Amino acid sequence: MANDEENVGNVKKLLARVFELSLQATVPDETDVEPIVTASTVGRFGDYQCNNAMGLFSKLKGKGGGQFRGPPAVGQAIMKNLPQTEMIESCFVAGPGFVNVSILKMLLDGIDTWAPKLSIKRAVVDFSSPNIAKEMHVGHLRSTIIGDTIARMLEFSHVDVLRRNHVGDWGTQFGMLIEHLFEKFPNIEAVNETAIGDLQAFYKASKQRFDDDSEFKERAQKAVVRLQGGEKRYRDAWAQICAISRREFDSVYKRLKVELEEKGESFYNPFIPSVIEGLTNQGLVEESEGARVIFLEGFNIPLIVVKSDGGYNYASTDLTALWYRLNEEKAEWIIYVTDVGQQQHFEMVFKAAKIAGWLPTEANKYPRTSHVGFGLVLGEDGKRFRTRSTEVVRLVDLLDEAKSRSKAVLEEREKDKDWTKEEIDQTAEAVGYGAVKYADLKNNRLTNYTFNFDQMLSDKGNTAVYLLYAHARICSIIRKSGKDVEELKKTGVLSLEHQDERVLGLHLLRFSEIVEEACTNLLPNILCEYLYNLSENFSKFYSNCQVIGSAEETSRLLLCEATAMVMRKCFFLLGITPVYKI
Ligand code: ARG
């Protein structure tokens, strides 16, 4: 839980930095002046003050003078030298040189656009990345949700993000898929998703054929070679299978409102030979048990870049994709979102890239790569999340259930009486999908979490439902006031007198700093925690400070509006659609 002191401390820190710069410019010869910044206790004196003037004046005097006539003049100079910053709305010097600054305007003037400034221009976020002909499972759901949030935070910070779907669309499994396709559909043009039906079942059936029939197995192995050789009939069949899978993936992305651009494993095939050749010329690739490998210090197995049968593998593709992203796409930060089980693979690929001189060896220098690992999704039994029939859980079924459960709640509350069918539907989606996303994002991603509909759809505790309702409630307070809040923003004054107003206001001011922390550390749970605390601080304010009909109505409505704005921005960054009424 955030407390007042923590919040004050943080805004203070930000302001202290600003005043430090001003002090350096004001008295460049004094090297040991610490900025003294305090929160103003009296509302009309702005919000914070810098109290250095008096002490500084006597110090300079003690040294035999200085260019200032008195503490107020020192205060004036400090004010004049304040760097340009969006934080400070207005400032003035009072009494013996106290420099008062008011930072509240920020709350209303685009705090939601007050984005962190990162030092890079372009990033690749490699996420979701399911495999063709296999079902997208909850692991891919985690990657999709976490990756999307990271991409959103980077985009918000003005980074150009290439959202990459590194689909598993290549490999030996295509041999059996294609042969099975030929067997079942001699007239291949007629094949479409309705004909194939369930692609996962199709995969299983071909695997069965592969395991049971050695003649089929042989044909499948030959099919791989013919596919890789570019034979048209095989290429077409492959493309058809990919297209069917793609449509299924896309329907999930559409529901989750996630944008992705597919550059699957096959995309990098043409570049692999020259990349491996480059590494070989650098003397990095060695022969080992018939395969070609890179030995890496600190790992007890080598990175295999060419298999003993001469084929390429997951690592050859990832090395090549990294090369492509650095050299062709000019990305400075390349982020991979997969389960922690793939951590070693990525550590090895990154290490190889460092030895090859593609990446600097220093940890935080750009261009750089990061593996964003995440834990398992568990069922109630504490084991890997599965359905009763021990199959992997189908993503679409999960989303369907989340939606229908939240729809049932809305109907129970008889919302269908005054809402349109669309409104019910949209709200059920926003709440249901939002709940699934938030339940995932709020945990530290490295820990496993238990998938529990009842918990994630509860309107109490740290859930999306609670947060979405809190937002809707704020909107309804504003609506009920009958005031035009846009008009108030132009003419009204925001002042934070009550302790709970102050706590809320200062929490709001930390928004940008939190996004930066969540984004640079690749930890979306930091943003969730901020949002939850924001909502808690709002509740406290609302139960202790009357809004409508009070003398402070205007100011308090503005505080409501600022809270709603920041909540919406948090929702946006978490990929959650806000609702405005409940
Ligand atoms: N297709 C892989 C899987 O399902 C994930 C790919 C992640 N990205 C990458 N560049 N290797 O496990």
Side-chain angles (χ1 to χ4, degrees), residues 264-518:
E265 293 178 5
S266 65
F267 174 87
Y268 303 99
N269 283 347
F271 308 97
I272 297 180
S274 63
V275 169
I276 305 282
E277 193 189 308
L279 295 171
T280 308
N281 292 343
Q282 284 181 285
L284 298 178
V285 182
E286 291 170 52
E287 205 67 37
S288 173
E289 295 172 33
R292 295 171 66 195
V293 306
I294 302 178
F295 283 102
L296 300 163
E297 213 188 288
F299 294 91
N300 44 22
I301 47 162
L303 186 69
I304 301 174
V305 295
V306 184
K307 294 187 291 181
S308 50
D309 66 1
Y312 300 124
N313 61 6
Y314 196 49
S316 347
T317 307
D318 261 328
L319 269 176
T320 306
L322 178 53
W323 172 88
Y324 186 88
R325 289 161 180 181
L326 288 167
N327 295 286
E328 296 294 319
E329 298 184 318
K330 310 267 182 256
E332 291 144 289
W333 194 5
I334 301 154
I335 297 163
Y336 300 79
V337 189
T338 78
D339 62 286
V340 280
Q342 298 195 33
Q343 188 175 335
Q344 169 159 316
H345 162 77
F346 285 108
E347 276 173 3
M348 291 178 84
V349 170
F350 300 166
K351 179 111 191 210
K354 283 184 182 163
I355 301 177
W358 298 356
L359 297 171
T361 39
E362 298 90 330
N364 288 331
K365 258 196 163 172
Y366 295 102
R368 79 188 250 226
T369 50
S370 302
H371 176 236
V372 173
F374 52 80
L376 295 174
V377 183
L378 304 176
E380 294 306 325
D381 55 1
K383 298 205 186 97
R384 201 184 266 267
F385 190 40
R386 291 180 193 285
T387 56
R388 245 164 281 138
S389 55
T390 77
E391 293 278 344
V392 285
V393 180
R394 283 165 47 103
L395 224 53
V396 274
D397 298 341
L398 270 187
L399 296 177
D400 280 344
E401 183 161 351
K403 183 180 169 181
S404 65
R405 279 181 182 237
S406 47
K407 195 169 175 174
V409 173
L410 292 173
E411 279 159 359
E412 224 168 83
R413 296 172 52 219
E414 305 197 323
K415 290 293 165 194
D416 41 346
K417 279 194 180 145
D418 20 87
W419 290 11
T420 64
K421 241 176 108 59
E422 284 77 57
E423 281 177 323
I424 297 264
D425 237 46
Q426 280 164 6
T427 309
E429 270 177 25
V431 173
Y433 302 165
V436 173
K437 288 186 179 184
Y438 189 79
D440 193 314
L441 294 170
K442 76 169 183 185
N443 305 294
N444 179 310
R445 55 179 165 74
L446 287 166
T447 55
N448 298 342
Y449 82 95
T450 306
F451 196 96
N452 182 322
F453 271 125
D454 292 327
Q455 236 165 54
M456 67 177 75
L457 288 166
S458 160
D459 57 4
K460 285 172 205 73
N462 189 1
T463 66
V465 185
Y466 162 75
L467 294 166
L468 286 166
Y469 282 15
H471 172 259
R473 209 165 296 126
I474 300 174
C475 295
S476 112
I477 296 166
I478 297 171
R479 271 198 307 271
K480 276 198 193 119
S481 76
K483 298 279 156 52
D484 178 349
V485 79
E486 290 309 316
E487 211 39 54
L488 289 188
K489 274 193 209 172
K490 281 182 225 145
T491 55
V493 177
L494 183 59
S495 68
L496 307 176
E497 311 286 337
H498 193 283
Q499 163 77 3
D500 293 325
E501 290 179 307
R502 205 156 257 281
V503 172
L504 177 58
L506 295 174
H507 192 83
L508 287 166
L509 286 171
R510 292 186 62 201
F511 170 66
S512 157
E513 176 195 332
I514 295 293
V515 179
E516 180 167 343
E517 195 186 327

Side-chain angles (χ1 to χ4, degrees), residues 83-98:
Q84 196 70 21
T85 160
E86 285 166 75
M87 260 190 99
I88 297 174
E89 171 190 6
S90 62
C91 44
F92 63 92
V93 179
F98 296 132

Side-chain angles (χ1 to χ4, degrees), residues 52-65:
N52 284 82
M54 276 207 301
L56 202 52
F57 181 74
S58 29
K59 196 171 173 198
L60 293 171
K61 213 169 138 195
K63 283 189 182 172

